[in-house]
mmCIF file of all heavy atoms in Angstrom:
data_model
loop_
_atom_site.group_PDB
_atom_site.id
_atom_site.type_symbol
_atom_site.label_atom_id
_atom_site.label_comp_id
_atom_site.label_asym_id
_atom_site.label_seq_id
_atom_site.Cartn_x
_atom_site.Cartn_y
_atom_site.Cartn_z
ATOM 1 N N LEU A 19 74.695 44.040 120.005
ATOM 2 C CA LEU A 19 73.320 43.297 119.868
ATOM 3 C C LEU A 19 73.072 43.281 118.387
ATOM 4 O O LEU A 19 72.713 44.325 117.788
ATOM 5 C CB LEU A 19 72.205 44.141 120.683
ATOM 6 C CG LEU A 19 72.532 44.371 122.112
ATOM 7 C CD1 LEU A 19 71.423 45.193 122.782
ATOM 8 C CD2 LEU A 19 72.616 43.036 122.875
ATOM 9 N N LEU A 20 73.146 42.095 117.793
ATOM 10 C CA LEU A 20 73.145 41.962 116.302
ATOM 11 C C LEU A 20 71.825 41.263 115.946
ATOM 12 O O LEU A 20 71.817 39.967 116.214
ATOM 13 C CB LEU A 20 74.376 41.302 115.839
ATOM 14 C CG LEU A 20 75.773 41.861 116.284
ATOM 15 C CD1 LEU A 20 76.844 41.008 115.661
ATOM 16 C CD2 LEU A 20 75.807 43.353 115.924
ATOM 17 N N ASP A 21 70.854 41.853 115.360
ATOM 18 C CA ASP A 21 69.598 41.253 115.067
ATOM 19 C C ASP A 21 69.587 40.848 113.693
ATOM 20 O O ASP A 21 69.458 41.619 112.769
ATOM 21 C CB ASP A 21 68.479 42.318 115.364
ATOM 22 C CG ASP A 21 67.109 41.646 115.315
ATOM 23 O OD1 ASP A 21 67.001 40.434 115.257
ATOM 24 O OD2 ASP A 21 66.117 42.361 115.515
ATOM 25 N N GLU A 22 69.674 39.416 113.416
ATOM 26 C CA GLU A 22 69.694 38.903 112.153
ATOM 27 C C GLU A 22 70.724 39.549 111.155
ATOM 28 O O GLU A 22 70.319 40.065 110.134
ATOM 29 C CB GLU A 22 68.314 38.958 111.486
ATOM 30 C CG GLU A 22 67.199 38.206 112.319
ATOM 31 C CD GLU A 22 67.219 36.669 111.979
ATOM 32 O OE1 GLU A 22 68.077 36.202 111.219
ATOM 33 O OE2 GLU A 22 66.464 35.977 112.695
ATOM 34 N N PRO A 23 72.046 39.554 111.607
ATOM 35 C CA PRO A 23 72.968 40.341 110.665
ATOM 36 C C PRO A 23 73.185 39.650 109.323
ATOM 37 O O PRO A 23 73.647 40.281 108.373
ATOM 38 C CB PRO A 23 74.303 40.209 111.506
ATOM 39 C CG PRO A 23 74.063 38.972 112.474
ATOM 40 C CD PRO A 23 72.691 38.956 112.750
ATOM 41 N N ALA A 24 72.817 38.317 109.242
ATOM 42 C CA ALA A 24 73.026 37.654 107.914
ATOM 43 C C ALA A 24 71.779 37.458 107.150
ATOM 44 O O ALA A 24 71.680 36.750 106.178
ATOM 45 C CB ALA A 24 73.737 36.280 108.237
ATOM 46 N N SER A 25 70.665 38.157 107.623
ATOM 47 C CA SER A 25 69.461 38.029 107.003
ATOM 48 C C SER A 25 69.439 38.416 105.574
ATOM 49 O O SER A 25 69.920 39.540 105.153
ATOM 50 C CB SER A 25 68.423 38.931 107.734
ATOM 51 O OG SER A 25 67.127 38.803 106.988
ATOM 52 N N GLY A 26 68.992 37.547 104.649
ATOM 53 C CA GLY A 26 68.927 37.851 103.250
ATOM 54 C C GLY A 26 70.076 37.870 102.390
ATOM 55 O O GLY A 26 70.169 38.350 101.251
ATOM 56 N N LEU A 27 71.219 37.373 102.954
ATOM 57 C CA LEU A 27 72.544 37.454 102.307
ATOM 58 C C LEU A 27 72.710 36.096 101.608
ATOM 59 O O LEU A 27 72.264 35.072 101.969
ATOM 60 C CB LEU A 27 73.680 37.574 103.367
ATOM 61 C CG LEU A 27 73.620 38.923 104.202
ATOM 62 C CD1 LEU A 27 74.846 38.926 105.114
ATOM 63 C CD2 LEU A 27 73.366 40.117 103.348
ATOM 64 N N ASP A 28 73.540 36.206 100.493
ATOM 65 C CA ASP A 28 73.940 34.914 99.857
ATOM 66 C C ASP A 28 75.131 34.250 100.621
ATOM 67 O O ASP A 28 75.593 34.837 101.601
ATOM 68 C CB ASP A 28 74.456 35.347 98.387
ATOM 69 C CG ASP A 28 75.763 36.247 98.467
ATOM 70 O OD1 ASP A 28 76.733 35.934 99.049
ATOM 71 O OD2 ASP A 28 75.645 37.387 97.836
ATOM 72 N N PRO A 29 75.364 33.002 100.246
ATOM 73 C CA PRO A 29 76.265 32.244 101.056
ATOM 74 C C PRO A 29 77.652 32.843 101.306
ATOM 75 O O PRO A 29 78.248 32.846 102.461
ATOM 76 C CB PRO A 29 76.352 30.924 100.170
ATOM 77 C CG PRO A 29 75.146 30.793 99.507
ATOM 78 C CD PRO A 29 74.679 32.243 99.166
ATOM 79 N N ARG A 30 78.214 33.527 100.270
ATOM 80 C CA ARG A 30 79.449 34.095 100.442
ATOM 81 C C ARG A 30 79.460 35.284 101.464
ATOM 82 O O ARG A 30 80.309 35.461 102.233
ATOM 83 C CB ARG A 30 80.008 34.697 99.106
ATOM 84 C CG ARG A 30 81.446 35.186 99.156
ATOM 85 C CD ARG A 30 81.916 35.652 97.761
ATOM 86 N NE ARG A 30 82.150 34.529 96.881
ATOM 87 C CZ ARG A 30 83.192 33.746 96.855
ATOM 88 N NH1 ARG A 30 84.152 34.039 97.630
ATOM 89 N NH2 ARG A 30 83.187 32.804 95.987
ATOM 90 N N ALA A 31 78.339 36.106 101.297
ATOM 91 C CA ALA A 31 78.257 37.226 102.214
ATOM 92 C C ALA A 31 77.928 36.762 103.657
ATOM 93 O O ALA A 31 78.517 37.311 104.616
ATOM 94 C CB ALA A 31 77.119 38.121 101.728
ATOM 95 N N ARG A 32 77.232 35.643 103.802
ATOM 96 C CA ARG A 32 76.998 35.091 105.202
ATOM 97 C C ARG A 32 78.346 34.661 105.781
ATOM 98 O O ARG A 32 78.509 34.847 106.955
ATOM 99 C CB ARG A 32 76.042 33.852 105.069
ATOM 100 C CG ARG A 32 74.616 34.239 104.778
ATOM 101 C CD ARG A 32 73.666 33.259 105.251
ATOM 102 N NE ARG A 32 73.964 31.869 104.756
ATOM 103 C CZ ARG A 32 73.321 31.421 103.720
ATOM 104 N NH1 ARG A 32 72.533 32.179 102.965
ATOM 105 N NH2 ARG A 32 73.706 30.152 103.216
ATOM 106 N N ILE A 33 79.254 34.002 104.929
ATOM 107 C CA ILE A 33 80.566 33.588 105.473
ATOM 108 C C ILE A 33 81.317 34.902 105.990
ATOM 109 O O ILE A 33 81.989 34.732 107.069
ATOM 110 C CB ILE A 33 81.240 32.821 104.357
ATOM 111 C CG1 ILE A 33 80.600 31.438 104.134
ATOM 112 C CG2 ILE A 33 82.792 32.635 104.791
ATOM 113 C CD1 ILE A 33 81.065 30.719 102.994
ATOM 114 N N LYS A 34 81.263 35.936 105.158
ATOM 115 C CA LYS A 34 82.035 37.163 105.588
ATOM 116 C C LYS A 34 81.488 37.615 106.889
ATOM 117 O O LYS A 34 82.229 38.080 107.735
ATOM 118 C CB LYS A 34 81.900 38.213 104.448
ATOM 119 C CG LYS A 34 82.772 37.970 103.292
ATOM 120 C CD LYS A 34 82.810 39.088 102.345
ATOM 121 C CE LYS A 34 83.859 38.997 101.211
ATOM 122 N NZ LYS A 34 85.177 39.348 101.777
ATOM 123 N N ILE A 35 80.202 37.681 107.158
ATOM 124 C CA ILE A 35 79.575 38.190 108.306
ATOM 125 C C ILE A 35 79.958 37.258 109.542
ATOM 126 O O ILE A 35 80.340 37.844 110.561
ATOM 127 C CB ILE A 35 78.026 38.298 108.232
ATOM 128 C CG1 ILE A 35 77.689 39.379 107.295
ATOM 129 C CG2 ILE A 35 77.438 38.455 109.633
ATOM 130 C CD1 ILE A 35 77.889 40.816 107.826
ATOM 131 N N ARG A 36 79.966 35.966 109.268
ATOM 132 C CA ARG A 36 80.330 35.036 110.331
ATOM 133 C C ARG A 36 81.825 35.269 110.745
ATOM 134 O O ARG A 36 82.071 35.292 111.896
ATOM 135 C CB ARG A 36 80.086 33.585 109.834
ATOM 136 C CG ARG A 36 80.433 32.550 110.977
ATOM 137 C CD ARG A 36 80.114 31.283 110.334
ATOM 138 N NE ARG A 36 81.051 30.845 109.287
ATOM 139 C CZ ARG A 36 80.995 29.926 108.479
ATOM 140 N NH1 ARG A 36 79.792 29.154 108.337
ATOM 141 N NH2 ARG A 36 81.829 29.666 107.465
ATOM 142 N N GLU A 37 82.708 35.314 109.743
ATOM 143 C CA GLU A 37 84.076 35.538 109.986
ATOM 144 C C GLU A 37 84.340 36.913 110.862
ATOM 145 O O GLU A 37 85.105 36.961 111.619
ATOM 146 C CB GLU A 37 84.954 35.577 108.739
ATOM 147 C CG GLU A 37 84.965 34.130 108.106
ATOM 148 C CD GLU A 37 85.473 33.112 109.006
ATOM 149 O OE1 GLU A 37 86.474 33.314 109.671
ATOM 150 O OE2 GLU A 37 84.827 31.973 109.141
ATOM 151 N N LEU A 38 83.506 37.903 110.476
ATOM 152 C CA LEU A 38 83.562 39.167 111.067
ATOM 153 C C LEU A 38 83.246 39.085 112.475
ATOM 154 O O LEU A 38 83.888 39.697 113.445
ATOM 155 C CB LEU A 38 82.787 40.210 110.352
ATOM 156 C CG LEU A 38 82.854 41.686 110.881
ATOM 157 C CD1 LEU A 38 84.158 42.188 111.039
ATOM 158 C CD2 LEU A 38 81.932 42.655 109.999
ATOM 159 N N ILE A 39 82.154 38.340 112.843
ATOM 160 C CA ILE A 39 81.646 38.155 114.233
ATOM 161 C C ILE A 39 82.730 37.413 114.990
ATOM 162 O O ILE A 39 82.994 37.655 116.145
ATOM 163 C CB ILE A 39 80.326 37.307 114.290
ATOM 164 C CG1 ILE A 39 79.234 38.266 113.600
ATOM 165 C CG2 ILE A 39 79.906 37.051 115.767
ATOM 166 C CD1 ILE A 39 77.873 37.578 113.546
ATOM 167 N N LYS A 40 83.426 36.452 114.326
ATOM 168 C CA LYS A 40 84.489 35.698 115.028
ATOM 169 C C LYS A 40 85.606 36.699 115.418
ATOM 170 O O LYS A 40 86.203 36.566 116.521
ATOM 171 C CB LYS A 40 85.118 34.726 114.194
ATOM 172 C CG LYS A 40 84.265 33.399 113.940
ATOM 173 C CD LYS A 40 85.005 32.399 113.154
ATOM 174 C CE LYS A 40 84.070 31.130 112.914
ATOM 175 N NZ LYS A 40 84.814 30.124 111.997
ATOM 176 N N ARG A 41 85.888 37.597 114.530
ATOM 177 C CA ARG A 41 87.102 38.610 114.865
ATOM 178 C C ARG A 41 86.639 39.543 116.009
ATOM 179 O O ARG A 41 87.456 39.772 116.926
ATOM 180 C CB ARG A 41 87.229 39.476 113.567
ATOM 181 C CG ARG A 41 87.922 38.643 112.460
ATOM 182 C CD ARG A 41 88.176 39.629 111.326
ATOM 183 N NE ARG A 41 89.080 40.633 111.540
ATOM 184 C CZ ARG A 41 89.493 41.579 110.717
ATOM 185 N NH1 ARG A 41 88.934 41.623 109.577
ATOM 186 N NH2 ARG A 41 90.483 42.593 111.007
ATOM 187 N N LEU A 42 85.392 39.910 116.038
ATOM 188 C CA LEU A 42 84.815 40.672 117.178
ATOM 189 C C LEU A 42 84.881 39.923 118.448
ATOM 190 O O LEU A 42 85.084 40.447 119.524
ATOM 191 C CB LEU A 42 83.445 41.240 116.878
ATOM 192 C CG LEU A 42 83.319 42.197 115.697
ATOM 193 C CD1 LEU A 42 81.890 42.412 115.240
ATOM 194 C CD2 LEU A 42 84.094 43.447 116.051
ATOM 195 N N ARG A 43 84.501 38.637 118.387
ATOM 196 C CA ARG A 43 84.558 37.800 119.571
ATOM 197 C C ARG A 43 85.992 37.712 120.123
ATOM 198 O O ARG A 43 86.272 37.781 121.352
ATOM 199 C CB ARG A 43 84.118 36.345 119.211
ATOM 200 C CG ARG A 43 84.284 35.310 120.261
ATOM 201 C CD ARG A 43 84.125 33.880 119.742
ATOM 202 N NE ARG A 43 85.139 33.631 118.789
ATOM 203 C CZ ARG A 43 85.184 32.559 117.988
ATOM 204 N NH1 ARG A 43 84.105 31.687 118.008
ATOM 205 N NH2 ARG A 43 86.123 32.330 117.129
ATOM 206 N N ASP A 44 87.050 37.546 119.099
ATOM 207 C CA ASP A 44 88.440 37.422 119.527
ATOM 208 C C ASP A 44 88.920 38.802 120.064
ATOM 209 O O ASP A 44 89.956 38.792 120.893
ATOM 210 C CB ASP A 44 89.288 36.973 118.405
ATOM 211 C CG ASP A 44 88.908 35.653 117.838
ATOM 212 O OD1 ASP A 44 88.330 34.925 118.656
ATOM 213 O OD2 ASP A 44 89.223 35.277 116.659
ATOM 214 N N MET A 45 88.228 39.795 119.877
ATOM 215 C CA MET A 45 88.550 41.154 120.392
ATOM 216 C C MET A 45 87.955 41.322 121.828
ATOM 217 O O MET A 45 88.215 42.350 122.499
ATOM 218 C CB MET A 45 88.092 42.296 119.497
ATOM 219 C CG MET A 45 88.787 42.455 118.132
ATOM 220 S SD MET A 45 87.983 43.571 116.933
ATOM 221 C CE MET A 45 87.992 45.041 117.767
ATOM 222 N N GLY A 46 87.328 40.334 122.229
ATOM 223 C CA GLY A 46 86.688 40.441 123.608
ATOM 224 C C GLY A 46 85.339 41.060 123.743
ATOM 225 O O GLY A 46 84.848 41.302 124.877
ATOM 226 N N LYS A 47 84.679 41.350 122.673
ATOM 227 C CA LYS A 47 83.315 41.919 122.704
ATOM 228 C C LYS A 47 82.346 40.726 123.320
ATOM 229 O O LYS A 47 82.456 39.619 122.971
ATOM 230 C CB LYS A 47 82.890 42.326 121.244
ATOM 231 C CG LYS A 47 83.765 43.289 120.549
ATOM 232 C CD LYS A 47 83.849 44.660 121.135
ATOM 233 C CE LYS A 47 84.640 45.590 120.342
ATOM 234 N NZ LYS A 47 84.787 46.932 120.930
ATOM 235 N N THR A 48 81.349 41.335 123.946
ATOM 236 C CA THR A 48 80.211 40.420 124.381
ATOM 237 C C THR A 48 79.170 40.574 123.341
ATOM 238 O O THR A 48 78.769 41.826 123.120
ATOM 239 C CB THR A 48 79.682 40.896 125.775
ATOM 240 O OG1 THR A 48 80.777 40.759 126.701
ATOM 241 C CG2 THR A 48 78.545 39.994 126.162
ATOM 242 N N ILE A 49 78.736 39.471 122.785
ATOM 243 C CA ILE A 49 77.862 39.611 121.601
ATOM 244 C C ILE A 49 76.614 38.855 121.758
ATOM 245 O O ILE A 49 76.757 37.668 122.160
ATOM 246 C CB ILE A 49 78.664 39.141 120.217
ATOM 247 C CG1 ILE A 49 79.923 39.938 120.083
ATOM 248 C CG2 ILE A 49 77.779 39.228 119.034
ATOM 249 C CD1 ILE A 49 80.730 39.337 118.976
ATOM 250 N N MET A 50 75.484 39.391 121.433
ATOM 251 C CA MET A 50 74.249 38.709 121.342
ATOM 252 C C MET A 50 73.780 38.814 119.964
ATOM 253 O O MET A 50 73.527 39.815 119.324
ATOM 254 C CB MET A 50 73.203 39.427 122.300
ATOM 255 C CG MET A 50 71.830 38.692 122.445
ATOM 256 S SD MET A 50 70.877 39.595 123.640
ATOM 257 C CE MET A 50 69.416 38.382 123.839
ATOM 258 N N VAL A 51 73.582 37.598 119.310
ATOM 259 C CA VAL A 51 73.321 37.625 117.821
ATOM 260 C C VAL A 51 72.091 36.711 117.615
ATOM 261 O O VAL A 51 72.120 35.544 118.064
ATOM 262 C CB VAL A 51 74.534 37.101 116.999
ATOM 263 C CG1 VAL A 51 75.167 35.873 117.522
ATOM 264 C CG2 VAL A 51 74.211 37.039 115.562
ATOM 265 N N SER A 52 71.070 37.147 116.903
ATOM 266 C CA SER A 52 70.006 36.334 116.564
ATOM 267 C C SER A 52 70.072 35.922 115.136
ATOM 268 O O SER A 52 70.674 36.647 114.338
ATOM 269 C CB SER A 52 68.603 37.118 116.776
ATOM 270 O OG SER A 52 68.558 38.218 115.821
ATOM 271 N N SER A 53 69.705 34.785 114.950
ATOM 272 C CA SER A 53 69.815 34.259 113.523
ATOM 273 C C SER A 53 68.952 33.057 113.267
ATOM 274 O O SER A 53 68.586 32.418 114.222
ATOM 275 C CB SER A 53 71.257 33.810 113.154
ATOM 276 O OG SER A 53 71.384 33.192 111.950
ATOM 277 N N HIS A 54 68.476 32.802 112.063
ATOM 278 C CA HIS A 54 67.800 31.590 111.678
ATOM 279 C C HIS A 54 68.706 30.620 110.915
ATOM 280 O O HIS A 54 68.317 29.517 110.660
ATOM 281 C CB HIS A 54 66.611 31.878 110.746
ATOM 282 C CG HIS A 54 65.545 32.653 111.380
ATOM 283 N ND1 HIS A 54 64.765 32.057 112.353
ATOM 284 C CD2 HIS A 54 64.957 33.837 111.101
ATOM 285 C CE1 HIS A 54 63.752 32.902 112.801
ATOM 286 N NE2 HIS A 54 63.877 34.088 112.034
ATOM 287 N N ILE A 55 69.971 31.084 110.677
ATOM 288 C CA ILE A 55 70.928 30.144 110.136
ATOM 289 C C ILE A 55 71.598 29.374 111.214
ATOM 290 O O ILE A 55 72.731 29.647 111.646
ATOM 291 C CB ILE A 55 71.948 31.005 109.327
ATOM 292 C CG1 ILE A 55 71.211 31.892 108.332
ATOM 293 C CG2 ILE A 55 72.850 30.099 108.450
ATOM 294 C CD1 ILE A 55 72.098 33.021 107.697
ATOM 295 N N LEU A 56 70.874 28.382 111.633
ATOM 296 C CA LEU A 56 71.164 27.710 112.981
ATOM 297 C C LEU A 56 72.563 27.066 112.932
ATOM 298 O O LEU A 56 73.273 27.145 113.916
ATOM 299 C CB LEU A 56 70.103 26.780 113.307
ATOM 300 C CG LEU A 56 68.707 27.348 113.237
ATOM 301 C CD1 LEU A 56 67.719 26.351 113.704
ATOM 302 C CD2 LEU A 56 68.676 28.539 114.145
ATOM 303 N N PRO A 57 72.947 26.238 111.988
ATOM 304 C CA PRO A 57 74.098 25.450 112.102
ATOM 305 C C PRO A 57 75.361 26.440 112.137
ATOM 306 O O PRO A 57 76.383 26.113 112.823
ATOM 307 C CB PRO A 57 74.260 24.728 110.730
ATOM 308 C CG PRO A 57 72.829 24.498 110.303
ATOM 309 C CD PRO A 57 72.128 25.830 110.747
ATOM 310 N N GLU A 58 75.338 27.642 111.574
ATOM 311 C CA GLU A 58 76.463 28.580 111.631
ATOM 312 C C GLU A 58 76.586 29.176 112.998
ATOM 313 O O GLU A 58 77.717 29.487 113.446
ATOM 314 C CB GLU A 58 76.197 29.710 110.628
ATOM 315 C CG GLU A 58 76.143 29.242 109.241
ATOM 316 C CD GLU A 58 76.205 30.421 108.228
ATOM 317 O OE1 GLU A 58 76.140 31.539 108.674
ATOM 318 O OE2 GLU A 58 76.200 30.123 107.007
ATOM 319 N N LEU A 59 75.673 29.267 113.869
ATOM 320 C CA LEU A 59 75.727 29.737 115.138
ATOM 321 C C LEU A 59 76.632 28.858 116.076
ATOM 322 O O LEU A 59 77.307 29.319 116.945
ATOM 323 C CB LEU A 59 74.376 29.940 115.805
ATOM 324 C CG LEU A 59 73.551 31.084 115.476
ATOM 325 C CD1 LEU A 59 72.218 31.196 116.256
ATOM 326 C CD2 LEU A 59 74.326 32.373 115.479
ATOM 327 N N ALA A 60 76.632 27.587 115.918
ATOM 328 C CA ALA A 60 77.333 26.651 116.673
ATOM 329 C C ALA A 60 78.878 26.951 116.577
ATOM 330 O O ALA A 60 79.634 26.688 117.346
ATOM 331 C CB ALA A 60 77.033 25.242 116.347
ATOM 332 N N ASP A 61 79.235 27.517 115.387
ATOM 333 C CA ASP A 61 80.619 27.737 115.004
ATOM 334 C C ASP A 61 81.072 29.048 115.728
ATOM 335 O O ASP A 61 82.294 29.237 115.836
ATOM 336 C CB ASP A 61 80.851 27.886 113.448
ATOM 337 C CG ASP A 61 82.201 27.849 113.117
ATOM 338 O OD1 ASP A 61 83.091 27.231 113.754
ATOM 339 O OD2 ASP A 61 82.642 28.568 112.172
ATOM 340 N N ILE A 62 80.224 29.976 116.113
ATOM 341 C CA ILE A 62 80.690 31.272 116.688
ATOM 342 C C ILE A 62 80.204 31.543 118.123
ATOM 343 O O ILE A 62 80.643 32.370 118.686
ATOM 344 C CB ILE A 62 80.219 32.441 115.790
ATOM 345 C CG1 ILE A 62 78.705 32.405 115.611
ATOM 346 C CG2 ILE A 62 80.886 32.346 114.435
ATOM 347 C CD1 ILE A 62 78.218 33.653 114.905
ATOM 348 N N CYS A 63 79.369 30.726 118.670
ATOM 349 C CA CYS A 63 78.681 30.969 119.909
ATOM 350 C C CYS A 63 79.195 29.915 120.945
ATOM 351 O O CYS A 63 79.386 28.794 120.670
ATOM 352 C CB CYS A 63 77.196 30.914 119.789
ATOM 353 S SG CYS A 63 76.473 32.079 118.763
ATOM 354 N N ASN A 64 79.225 30.415 122.154
ATOM 355 C CA ASN A 64 79.632 29.571 123.291
ATOM 356 C C ASN A 64 78.319 29.328 124.191
ATOM 357 O O ASN A 64 78.278 28.402 124.995
ATOM 358 C CB ASN A 64 80.636 30.052 124.154
ATOM 359 C CG ASN A 64 80.298 31.419 124.871
ATOM 360 O OD1 ASN A 64 79.744 32.307 124.333
ATOM 361 N ND2 ASN A 64 80.639 31.427 126.222
#
C-alpha cells in the first residue's frame, strides 16, 4: 500500500520510483498506489 510514493520528487527520482514499482509488479506483488502524477500511473497500473 503505497501512499504518494513519488510525492515531492524531482523528475529523475520519480522515474526511479516508477521503475521500482514495475520491478515489484513483475515479482508478483499486489500493489495499491496513490498518486497525483496521473500519466505515469497508466504505465504501471492495470
Side-chain angles (χ1 to χ4, degrees):
L19 305 175
L20 310 180
D21 193 2
E22 297 281 357
S25 174
L27 302 186
D28 61 57
R30 184 178 295 275
R32 287 204 305 269
I33 290 171
K34 280 186 173 289
I35 288 290
R36 184 180 65 200
E37 293 304 314
L38 181 53
I39 293 173
K40 285 183 182 179
R41 291 179 66 184
L42 295 169
R43 174 195 64 190
D44 294 342
M45 291 167 63
K47 306 290 186 185
T48 301
I49 305 171
M50 185 176 190
V51 52
S52 69
S53 176
H54 290 298
I55 308 168
L56 309 181
E58 293 188 359
L59 284 183
D61 190 36
I62 59 176
C63 300
N64 67 315

